[in-house]
Amino acid sequence: MGLLMSSGLKGLEYSPGLEMSFGGAESNVAIGLARLGISAGWFGRLGNDPVGRRIFKAIRGEGVDMSSVLFADDAPTGLMMREKVGDRSSVYYYRKYSAASAMRPEHLNEAYIANAEILHITGITAALSNTCRDTVFRAVKLAKKHGTKVSFDPNLRMKLWSAEEARPVLLALAEQADYYLPGLDELRLLYQSESLDELFPELNKLSAVKIIKGGPNVTYLLEQGKLTEVPYFQVKNVVDSVGAGDGFCAGFLAGLIEGHSNEEAIRLGNLVGSKVIQAPGDWEGLPAREEVEASLAGRGHVER
């Protein structure tokens, strides 16, 4: 989507100007992977309009393959507006009748999915329309057909659908995933329980490797009934928490593709997420490979 942000810490209705960018969970992950040196592609449907063309060029400029992106002449690119007032951020979506909301299963490129090592999906696309929901399930089916692993982040957005609407769809996708990456708050809504002692047995019923974000200073790894806690990287200056989960997914998937253990991949995801929250914007703070390696090696930044 196109993204309009109020300037400074003023609300949208009082801001004298708006900063223009773009945002989207899946494209954030793709950019994060590309910056880490991983071959990544993004596919979706954009309006054939200035906003859509700007998004296409920007993501392609980050090194992400865009060869399977479709442009629509009959629908606009979706839009969101975001404001940050004090420590509270608010997002407003304008996605109904957008090009992305009209995606259908026949828009998918089967060969593109078949050639991937991992297909990463989120619940956001499934929330946009019934045809988008069908498209997501079809993409998963194609991935399974060709031996492509499926990574699934539910990314529950309450402004797009209610927990009651989302629950059966997201749980069905979780059952088909190879890697399931929910947030702890999302799990509480999806499984209608506040207790970890109740949540973890439910998750153990899934065949996927479970990575639970948002624990108390840790990310949980639940694999074959064993629970492992992977500590966060602590930061002093949190500027903007938006995009942290997408950064985590990018780091985690990069670790998997590089052959690291699940625990090591989570550690990389935690590090990338910690970098994202130190800069404004959805994806701008995603680190390059050199920055990540310097942090892992304990090397400080040389200013001049």
Side-chain angles (χ1 to χ4, degrees):
M1 303 160 288
L3 169 61
L4 297 176
M5 296 179 289
S6 58
S7 57
L9 295 178
K10 295 181 180 179
L12 286 163
E13 61 188 297
Y14 303 112
S15 179
L18 298 173
E19 298 177 21
M20 186 174 182
S21 183
F22 65 92
E26 298 86 355
S27 57
N28 293 345
V29 173
I31 291 171
L33 283 162
R35 288 189 179 180
L36 293 172
I38 303 298
S39 175
W42 178 83
F43 60 86
R45 198 163 180 260
L46 299 167
N48 189 13
D49 51 35
V51 177
R53 291 190 292 272
R54 176 177 176 145
I55 292 170
F56 180 88
K57 292 173 183 176
I59 300 176
R60 185 179 62 183
E62 288 289 336
V64 176
D65 181 79
M66 301 287 280
S67 59
S68 285
V69 172
L70 302 176
F71 283 95
D73 292 318
D74 58 349
T77 304
L79 181 69
M80 66 175 170
M81 302 179 76
R82 186 151 68 87
E83 63 184 2
K84 187 171 189 210
V85 181
D87 60 355
R88 187 187 70 181
S89 292
S90 298
V91 176
Y92 306 90
Y93 294 110
Y94 303 88
R95 308 180 76 161
K96 196 172 183 180
Y97 306 119
S98 68
S101 71
M103 280 193 296
R104 302 188 302 275
E106 56 265 34
H107 289 146
L108 293 170
N109 182 339
E110 181 172 350
Y112 198 71
I113 294 173
N115 288 329
E117 188 170 340
I118 299 175
L119 169 71
H120 179 70
I121 59 170
T122 80
I124 296 175
T125 308
L128 298 181
S129 68
N130 289 333
T131 60
C132 280
R133 196 169 307 167
D134 293 342
T135 303
V136 173
F137 277 97
R138 175 63 177 166
V140 171
K141 185 175 182 179
L142 292 175
K144 295 290 187 182
K145 174 182 175 182
H146 294 284
T148 299
K149 298 291 186 182
V150 176
S151 164
F152 173 51
D153 184 345
N155 255 325
L156 180 58
R157 295 290 185 265
M158 302 303 291
K159 287 190 175 182
L160 296 178
W161 54 356
S162 68
E164 288 69 28
E165 293 174 297
R167 188 172 293 114
V169 177
L170 300 184
L171 293 181
L173 289 170
E175 289 176 356
Q176 299 181 60
D178 296 285
Y179 300 98
Y180 181 34
L181 300 100
L184 189 54
D185 289 342
E186 290 171 327
L187 288 180
R188 287 169 173 153
L189 286 170
L190 290 175
Y191 292 94
Q192 298 175 282
S193 175
E194 292 291 322
S195 169
L196 295 181
D197 291 335
E198 293 179 1
L199 289 173
F200 288 153
E202 288 297 318
L203 291 172
N204 275 327
K205 296 176 183 178
L206 301 173
S207 61
V209 174
K210 281 76 64 173
I211 300 94
I212 300 106
K213 301 167 288 182
N217 296 316
V218 297
T219 299
Y220 295 112
L221 167 63
L222 192 57
E223 184 178 17
Q224 297 178 341
K226 178 185 176 183
L227 179 66
T228 303
E229 297 181 355
V230 184
Y232 292 159
F233 287 81
Q234 299 298 321
V235 300
K236 296 179 180 178
N237 185 31
V238 177
V239 175
D240 187 351
S241 62
V242 174
D246 301 329
F248 171 85
C249 289
F252 173 72
L253 294 175
L256 290 182
I257 291 169
E258 291 171 348
H260 298 314
S261 68
N262 291 327
E263 186 173 346
E264 291 170 332
I266 289 172
R267 185 168 182 262
L268 180 57
N270 284 347
L271 177 57
V272 174
S274 75
K275 298 291 185 182
V276 172
I277 63 177
Q278 297 179 69
D282 284 33
W283 54 271
E284 287 83 348
L286 289 161
R289 167 62 67 179
E290 295 78 9
E291 183 181 350
V292 167
E293 289 181 349
S295 295
L296 290 174
R299 297 195 302 269
H301 171 65
V302 179
E303 182 176 346
R304 61 177 76 183

